[in-house]
Amino acid sequence: MELTLGAPARFAQRLTAKYKLTLPIDVRAILERYSDVVEAVIPIKGVDGVCLNLKVPGKRPRVVINSSNPPLRRRFTEAHELGHIVIPWHKGTIVDHLDPEHVEWSDDYWVFEEEANQFAAELLMPSSWMLDLLESTPDPSKAHKQTCEQCNVSALAASKRLSSLLPKNMVFVCEKDGEVEFSGKTNGTLANTPFWKTTFDADSFTYATQHFISSIGARRLHWWTLPDKVNEVSNDPRSWRAILDAIVEDIGVPVDDQKRFKASVNGVLAAANSAVRQRGSHTAASVVAACMQRFHDRDDLRSFAEHPNFMDFVVKRASELTQ
Ligand SMILES: [Zn+2]
């Protein structure tokens, strides 16, 4: 697998080569080569760090790291601030909120933030190392655990890195104390993932082709592979309309709601179909797979998707839509 790296990641690679850095990267030591670093309680909600005097002639950059954050988050912030220092066009003073929900800044601000995050991810979890790991470790939950342990990064930072490198149709949940601590998916995956801070449901992806689990401390890392193509045939002699009517009756949708319910089923189906068409592989098998991802994460349509004739309905619809 070849990766095209952006400029921020290439700056990180240059730094790694220059100082012959090995894992886990001693970020603090490099940051201190480039700036004066202090740790202090920053009493503003959501501020991870502040970077002052960037590219100011005659002045050495100064970095403040919020000491009230957990160690691995501070470590990621240090790598992020180093990115602001090394990337030539990041100038002046930058106040860092790693959680976007706390701020509304200009678009430029977010471009800089994204660049500093790309720099930090590449520095802490180098892409060449990640690609070797993924090649030698087919179990993504094990790769997740190893990234955390060998790169000394949080499970969340490792999951972001992995989800940008792994192929589509994969979802993950980090489970802690029976709750979804966080969740996500790889690029191009249609399925939605369980909401953060909700009760963990082991049956979240019953239609997955694989479920991997690794433990790291009190956390359990779940990764699922979802089908990309589902080759099913239906021997049901009825039309898809008749099957839909029968399912709606069976699962007890009240008569007054049936029209709205069917419209919502057709809406989900149409969205799955158009997502597949946009990808260019418009076959019945890929539409069926997309429908499984789309229907199973809709709580209001769960009993519909679990009905024994659901596949008959979807298979018939998919074959009609792709003819
Ligand atoms: Zn920043």
Side-chain angles (χ1 to χ4, degrees), residues 121-143:
E122 179 65 34
L123 184 74
L124 296 169
M125 298 166 273
S127 42
S128 57
W129 185 85
M130 292 296 304
L131 294 181
D132 285 349
L133 172 74
L134 292 176
E135 215 172 285
S136 61
T137 318
D139 175 339
S141 71
K142 284 207 178 80

Short mmCIF file of all heavy atoms in Angstrom, two decimals, residues 121-143:
data_model
loop_
_atom_site.label_atom_id
_atom_site.label_comp_id
_atom_site.label_asym_id
_atom_site.label_seq_id
_atom_site.Cartn_x
_atom_site.Cartn_y
_atom_site.Cartn_z
N ALA A 121 -0.08 13.22 14.21
CA ALA A 121 -0.39 11.80 13.95
C ALA A 121 0.79 11.12 13.27
O ALA A 121 1.17 10.00 13.62
CB ALA A 121 -1.64 11.68 13.09
N GLU A 122 1.41 11.81 12.31
CA GLU A 122 2.54 11.21 11.59
C GLU A 122 3.76 11.08 12.50
O GLU A 122 4.49 10.09 12.44
CB GLU A 122 2.87 12.05 10.35
CG GLU A 122 4.04 11.55 9.53
CD GLU A 122 3.80 10.18 8.87
OE1 GLU A 122 2.64 9.91 8.50
OE2 GLU A 122 4.76 9.40 8.76
N LEU A 123 3.96 12.08 13.36
CA LEU A 123 5.12 12.04 14.26
C LEU A 123 4.98 10.89 15.26
O LEU A 123 5.91 10.11 15.45
CB LEU A 123 5.25 13.37 15.01
CG LEU A 123 6.49 13.49 15.89
CD1 LEU A 123 7.75 13.70 15.04
CD2 LEU A 123 6.34 14.64 16.89
N LEU A 124 3.81 10.79 15.88
CA LEU A 124 3.61 9.79 16.94
C LEU A 124 3.37 8.39 16.38
O LEU A 124 3.77 7.40 17.01
CB LEU A 124 2.42 10.18 17.83
CG LEU A 124 2.58 11.47 18.62
CD1 LEU A 124 1.24 11.88 19.23
CD2 LEU A 124 3.62 11.30 19.72
N MET A 125 2.68 8.33 15.23
CA MET A 125 2.32 7.03 14.64
C MET A 125 2.74 7.04 13.17
O MET A 125 1.91 7.23 12.28
CB MET A 125 0.80 6.81 14.76
CG MET A 125 0.29 6.76 16.19
SD MET A 125 -1.52 6.92 16.30
CE MET A 125 -1.70 8.72 16.35
N PRO A 126 4.04 6.88 12.88
CA PRO A 126 4.55 7.07 11.51
C PRO A 126 3.84 6.15 10.52
O PRO A 126 3.60 4.98 10.82
CB PRO A 126 6.02 6.70 11.63
CG PRO A 126 6.35 6.79 13.07
CD PRO A 126 5.09 6.48 13.82
N SER A 127 3.53 6.67 9.33
CA SER A 127 2.74 5.88 8.39
C SER A 127 3.47 4.62 7.93
O SER A 127 2.84 3.59 7.74
CB SER A 127 2.26 6.71 7.21
OG SER A 127 3.26 7.55 6.76
N SER A 128 4.80 4.68 7.78
CA SER A 128 5.51 3.47 7.33
C SER A 128 5.37 2.38 8.40
O SER A 128 5.14 1.21 8.09
CB SER A 128 6.98 3.77 7.05
OG SER A 128 7.57 4.31 8.21
N TRP A 129 5.47 2.77 9.65
CA TRP A 129 5.31 1.81 10.75
C TRP A 129 3.88 1.27 10.77
O TRP A 129 3.65 0.07 10.93
CB TRP A 129 5.65 2.49 12.08
CG TRP A 129 5.63 1.55 13.25
CD1 TRP A 129 6.64 0.74 13.68
CD2 TRP A 129 4.51 1.28 14.11
NE1 TRP A 129 6.22 -0.01 14.76
CE2 TRP A 129 4.92 0.31 15.05
CE3 TRP A 129 3.20 1.77 14.19
CZ2 TRP A 129 4.09 -0.19 16.05
CZ3 TRP A 129 2.36 1.28 15.18
CH2 TRP A 129 2.80 0.31 16.09
N MET A 130 2.91 2.17 10.59
CA MET A 130 1.50 1.76 10.61
C MET A 130 1.20 0.77 9.49
O MET A 130 0.50 -0.21 9.69
CB MET A 130 0.58 2.99 10.43
CG MET A 130 0.56 3.99 11.56
SD MET A 130 -0.08 3.40 13.14
CE MET A 130 -1.69 2.79 12.75
N LEU A 131 1.73 1.04 8.30
CA LEU A 131 1.44 0.15 7.16
C LEU A 131 2.06 -1.23 7.37
O LEU A 131 1.44 -2.24 7.07
CB LEU A 131 1.92 0.78 5.85
CG LEU A 131 1.18 2.06 5.43
CD1 LEU A 131 1.73 2.60 4.12
CD2 LEU A 131 -0.32 1.83 5.32
N ASP A 132 3.28 -1.26 7.94
CA ASP A 132 3.90 -2.56 8.27
C ASP A 132 3.04 -3.31 9.28
O ASP A 132 2.81 -4.51 9.17
CB ASP A 132 5.30 -2.36 8.87
CG ASP A 132 6.31 -1.99 7.79
OD1 ASP A 132 5.97 -2.10 6.60
OD2 ASP A 132 7.43 -1.59 8.16
N LEU A 133 2.57 -2.57 10.29
CA LEU A 133 1.75 -3.17 11.33
C LEU A 133 0.48 -3.78 10.73
O LEU A 133 0.11 -4.91 11.03
CB LEU A 133 1.38 -2.11 12.37
CG LEU A 133 0.37 -2.52 13.44
CD1 LEU A 133 1.00 -3.47 14.46
CD2 LEU A 133 -0.22 -1.32 14.16
N LEU A 134 -0.18 -3.00 9.86
CA LEU A 134 -1.45 -3.48 9.29
C LEU A 134 -1.23 -4.68 8.36
O LEU A 134 -2.09 -5.54 8.25
CB LEU A 134 -2.16 -2.35 8.55
CG LEU A 134 -2.67 -1.24 9.47
CD1 LEU A 134 -3.28 -0.10 8.67
CD2 LEU A 134 -3.69 -1.79 10.46
N GLU A 135 -0.06 -4.73 7.74
CA GLU A 135 0.22 -5.86 6.87
C GLU A 135 0.45 -7.13 7.67
O GLU A 135 0.02 -8.21 7.30
CB GLU A 135 1.45 -5.55 6.02
CG GLU A 135 1.35 -6.12 4.62
CD GLU A 135 2.50 -5.63 3.77
OE1 GLU A 135 2.44 -4.45 3.36
OE2 GLU A 135 3.44 -6.41 3.55
N SER A 136 1.10 -6.97 8.83
CA SER A 136 1.44 -8.16 9.63
C SER A 136 0.35 -8.50 10.65
O SER A 136 0.40 -9.54 11.30
CB SER A 136 2.77 -7.93 10.36
OG SER A 136 2.64 -6.83 11.23
N THR A 137 -0.64 -7.64 10.80
CA THR A 137 -1.68 -7.85 11.82
C THR A 137 -3.06 -7.74 11.20
O THR A 137 -3.64 -6.65 11.15
CB THR A 137 -1.54 -6.79 12.96
OG1 THR A 137 -0.17 -6.62 13.27
CG2 THR A 137 -2.30 -7.16 14.20
N PRO A 138 -3.62 -8.86 10.74
CA PRO A 138 -4.94 -8.77 10.09
C PRO A 138 -6.08 -8.44 11.05
O PRO A 138 -7.14 -7.98 10.61
CB PRO A 138 -5.14 -10.17 9.49
CG PRO A 138 -3.95 -10.98 9.84
CD PRO A 138 -3.06 -10.21 10.75
N ASP A 139 -5.87 -8.65 12.36
CA ASP A 139 -6.91 -8.34 13.35
C ASP A 139 -6.80 -6.85 13.72
O ASP A 139 -5.83 -6.44 14.39
CB ASP A 139 -6.68 -9.23 14.58
CG ASP A 139 -7.63 -8.92 15.73
OD1 ASP A 139 -8.18 -7.80 15.76
OD2 ASP A 139 -7.79 -9.79 16.60
N PRO A 140 -7.77 -6.01 13.30
CA PRO A 140 -7.64 -4.57 13.55
C PRO A 140 -7.67 -4.20 15.03
O PRO A 140 -7.09 -3.18 15.42
CB PRO A 140 -8.84 -3.97 12.80
CG PRO A 140 -9.79 -5.09 12.60
CD PRO A 140 -8.99 -6.35 12.56
N SER A 141 -8.34 -5.04 15.87
CA SER A 141 -8.35 -4.72 17.30
C SER A 141 -6.95 -4.91 17.90
O SER A 141 -6.53 -4.16 18.79
CB SER A 141 -9.40 -5.56 18.04
OG SER A 141 -8.98 -6.91 18.13
N LYS A 142 -6.22 -5.90 17.37
CA LYS A 142 -4.83 -6.11 17.83
C LYS A 142 -3.93 -4.97 17.33
O LYS A 142 -3.06 -4.50 18.05
CB LYS A 142 -4.29 -7.44 17.32
CG LYS A 142 -4.82 -8.65 18.06
CD LYS A 142 -3.79 -9.80 17.97
CE LYS A 142 -4.26 -11.02 18.76
NZ LYS A 142 -5.25 -11.82 18.00
N ALA A 143 -4.16 -4.55 16.09
CA ALA A 143 -3.38 -3.44 15.55
C ALA A 143 -3.65 -2.17 16.37
O ALA A 143 -2.73 -1.39 16.65
CB ALA A 143 -3.74 -3.21 14.08
#
